[in-house]
Amino acid sequence: MASEYTTSEYIKHHLTNASMCNTDSGIAFNEACADAGFWTWHIDTLAWSIGLGILFLWFFRSVAKKAATGVPTKTQAFVEMIIDFVNDNVTSTFHGKSALIAPLALTIFVWVLLMNLMDLVPVDVLPTIAGLIGQHGFGMDPHDVYMKAVPTTDLNLTFALAIGVFALIIFYSIKMKGVGGFMKELTMQPFGHWAFIPVNFILESVTLLARPLSLALRLFGNLYASELIFILIATIGYFQLPLHFMWAVFHILVLPLQAFIFMMLTIVYLSLASEDH
Amino acid sequence: MNINATLIGQLIAFTVFVWFCMKFVWPPLMEAIEKRQKDIADGLANAERGQKELELAQAKATEQLREAKTQAAEIIEQAKKRASQIVDEETQRGHAEREKIIAQGESEIEAERNRVKEDLRKQVAALAVSGAEKILAREIDAAAQSDIVEKLVAEL
């Protein structure tokens, strides 16, 4: 914890995204973007998530290109272990045939896991490095340089994932049941009488919308909370080290679990969407 | 943590990542895994079949060895029997031969002896006759006394 901050300033600094926007006087950053409204970009979230996504795809692609059908290298065995794990979960839950579900699940699992693992990087490291770069490279006040390095603590990212999954839920529902079948599912359940259509529609819409909402908020909530606790621990002085260690050990469980839950629920939702009742 | 344009950027990134994974990552890796699984399954099946064949061959070899042993024993037994049979036969034949040779020799000896005896008898007769002739030359006509000579000869 840098000494010149007050605790609340410190926490606020750590929980603010580096943002970028286009104003009348050109591209602006951070506080200058307060009025930019929707067209603000969280550049740290974008950079870290896309960077990690590319890292994931580059690593897996490099293995896939050299994939040997005979004796695999250790790297290939590692990658295949993950693939096999995802594939087992997909085939045991999703009974249709789809070329999309398994790669989707793999992407979600590994990408979200990588982004979650950023949580284990000590809370001050990346903001401090970013601050130093901002200070010495661009002549900025390090207080004005923001770096929130865990992309999954940004609602934009978790909602982007959830909206993607939601779009696929709609797509699979319509593909498997047709527009009429999907409409019927929305309006004729759980009460199969025309008089209940509005009630049914409200109930089913809530069911449908609750899925992406819960996906997004669960991931965000867990990661935001854990990041917040890390930051809080970082404010208590010298006793933070054992606490940091314990909290980090706990997150060796939590972080993969959240990635797994996101993947698993995606598969479950899509298999529900593509099954005829 | 307000919702802003980042959402759109992330949505695009997510779509691109999933597309890339679906096109270039998942299929080759899955293919490799499935190919290997098939290879291993085939290999295991082959190994099992080989094992079975080996067991079969071993059983067959044992069976054949056993058969060969009994056969060999049988042959040896037969050969022994045959050998003793041959020995017996030969011995018998040898005996017979010996008996025959001995008998032949004996009969030859007998014949010879008879002949010699006859000769001797004749000679002795002739000698006796000639002796008697000489003794009686002056007084007895040989022809008149021939019945006595004959009698003498028969007595010899």
Side-chain angles (χ1 to χ4, degrees), chain B residues 7-26:
Chain B
L7 181 75
I8 297 169
Q10 294 293 359
L11 205 50
I12 294 167
F14 180 46
T15 314
V16 171
F17 288 162
V18 170
W19 171 81
F20 186 89
C21 185
M22 190 173 97
K23 277 272 176 258
F24 301 110
V25 174
W26 188 268

Side-chain angles (χ1 to χ4, degrees), chain A residues 38-42 45-46 49-50 53 57 60-61 68-70 76 79-80 83 87 99-100 102-104 106-107 111 156-157 159-161 220, chain B residues 1-11 13-14 16-18 20-37 39:
Chain A
F38 182 75
W39 290 105
T40 311
W41 306 85
H42 287 165
T45 304
L46 282 167
S49 65
I50 292 172
L57 288 174
F60 273 57
R61 175 65 187 157
T69 54
Q76 193 186 338
V79 165
E80 282 180 3
I83 296 251
N87 195 41
L100 173 66
L104 173 76
L106 176 72
T107 310
W111 192 29
N156 290 300
L157 182 127
F159 264 113
L161 292 175
F220 166 75
Chain B
M1 60 180 202
N2 38 354
I3 297 292
N4 55 33
T6 313
L7 181 75
I8 297 169
Q10 294 293 359
L11 205 50
F14 180 46
V16 171
F17 288 162
V18 170
F20 186 89
C21 185
M22 190 173 97
K23 277 272 176 258
F24 301 110
V25 174
W26 188 268
L29 282 169
M30 212 56 211
E31 203 175 295
I33 291 173
E34 275 165 4
K35 174 84 170 33
R36 178 159 349 99
Q37 277 175 339
D39 284 354

